[in-house]
Structure formats: C-alpha cells, structure tokens
Amino acid sequence: MPGTSDTVQDSDAARVALDRVRWHCRRGLLELDLVLGRFLDRHWPQLTAQQCDAFVRLLELPDGELWDLASGRAECHDPRAAQVVARLREA
C-alpha cells in the first residue's frame, strides 16, 4: 500500500518535530515548564503551520520575557504570534 508508508513517515516526522519542540519547552522556570507543556498537550495538534512557527519563535525568548507573555504581564506586539500567546495564556 503506497499511501500507508507515506502516512507512517509523516506521522513519524510529526512526532519527532513535536519531541524537539517539547524539549525546547524545558525551561529554568517550573511554572513556564508547566504552562508550555499544557499548551502543547491541549493546542499543538490544532495549530496551523504558521502558528507552530510562531510558537517556536516564542521559545527563542529568554525565560523572563516568555513568562511575562504567558502570564499576561506583557503584551505581544508581534501580530503573527498574538493568537499563539492568547492560547498560551489559556493553558
């Protein structure tokens, strides 16, 4: 079955990508670890490719800045990441 191997490969690639993102969610702040982990569990499967990219870019922020966005202490000024930050705050 030609389609089966493509599906398996796609799901394997998606799993590896998620594992990499999950690894980058491990931070120095326990609170941030918990929020990011819940976000992945609840929202990652429904994100668009652009939203996934925005989330990965958010992970490049220092812990303090990312926590301020996640906790609502700071506003997101990047319109491409605003929807992701809103979902992050729900987690």
Side-chain angles (χ1 to χ4, degrees):
M1 288 187 256
T4 305
S5 67
D6 290 341
T7 304
V8 170
Q9 288 176 355
D10 290 345
S11 65
D12 286 345
R15 190 175 314 111
V16 168
L18 177 57
D19 287 345
R20 284 185 182 149
V21 170
R22 193 173 296 280
W23 176 255
H24 289 288
C25 287
R26 299 185 65 184
R27 310 302 283 236
L29 294 171
L30 176 60
E31 296 88 349
L32 196 51
D33 285 353
L34 296 172
V35 168
L36 294 174
R38 282 194 307 257
F39 173 84
L40 287 180
D41 294 339
R42 294 178 183 170
H43 298 290
W44 185 263
Q46 293 84 31
L47 296 181
T48 66
Q50 291 175 330
Q51 291 169 328
C52 290
D53 290 341
F55 180 71
V56 169
R57 281 193 314 275
L58 286 171
L59 293 177
E60 295 173 2
L61 294 172
D63 286 357
E65 289 180 39
L66 186 53
W67 176 246
D68 286 346
L69 284 173
S71 65
R73 287 193 252 175
E75 292 302 315
C76 180
H77 299 290
D78 181 353
R80 296 169 296 178
Q83 289 180 333
V84 176
V85 170
R87 287 185 173 189
L88 189 59
R89 290 176 181 169
E90 294 171 3

